[in-house]
Amino acid sequence: MPLSPFDFQQARVKQVLFKSRLRSVLYGVREAEPALFAYAENPLGQWIQTVLKPELGNQPAVHELENTLQQMLHTGSDLANRYQRGLIEEARAGLDQVNAFADQIENQLLSLESSL
């Protein structure tokens, strides 16, 4: 079944979910579970694998999206580690980096969606 705007909206929600969970880690609301930063267990990563790739195959834009998500997850993991080491303000300031990756992902999703 072809991708629809609803599919891309689901991807955006999944990205917001990650940012929300990371923020809750950096503000002491929840523990940083390794699964939060694992591409294979990330809801957006799963969406890419199960929804996007079957439809768009190996397009370069899909690979770019995967790479950006992996960079965002790596950065989030680094921030959680800083928080755990007591570098709380430094970790929280790093949310700007995560937001920059999120903006890139949004632009990549828009580009993929408009190419359909």
Side-chain angles (χ1 to χ4, degrees):
M1 187 162 85
L3 291 169
S4 71
F6 178 72
D7 292 311
F8 286 92
Q9 188 59 35
Q10 284 182 319
R12 290 176 180 95
V13 169
K14 292 172 189 311
Q15 177 179 279
V16 170
L17 178 63
F18 169 76
K19 290 182 359 179
S20 175
R21 287 179 176 167
L22 176 61
R23 189 171 289 110
S24 68
V25 167
L26 300 181
Y27 282 88
V29 176
R30 71 177 349 178
E31 291 294 317
E33 302 161 0
L36 179 61
F37 308 109
Y39 180 84
E41 296 182 48
N42 176 273
L44 182 55
Q46 291 172 345
W47 180 85
I48 291 169
Q49 294 301 314
T50 61
V51 176
L52 190 61
K53 276 190 161 184
E55 286 295 320
L56 299 181
N58 292 323
Q59 287 189 17
V62 174
H63 291 294
E64 289 174 26
L65 178 61
E66 284 182 300
N67 289 336
T68 305
L69 175 58
Q70 289 174 342
Q71 289 175 321
M72 184 170 75
L73 294 174
H74 177 75
T75 300
S77 177
D78 180 57
L79 297 178
N81 288 333
R82 289 180 193 192
Y83 178 84
Q84 290 171 339
R85 292 192 320 260
L87 304 171
I88 296 169
E89 292 307 314
E90 184 179 312
R92 290 177 182 166
L95 283 170
D96 288 342
Q97 293 173 305
V98 172
N99 287 331
F101 285 122
D103 290 344
Q104 277 184 271
I105 289 171
E106 173 61 23
N107 289 333
Q108 291 165 332
L109 288 171
L110 284 170
S111 177
L112 284 164
E113 186 176 15
S114 67
S115 72
L116 298 179

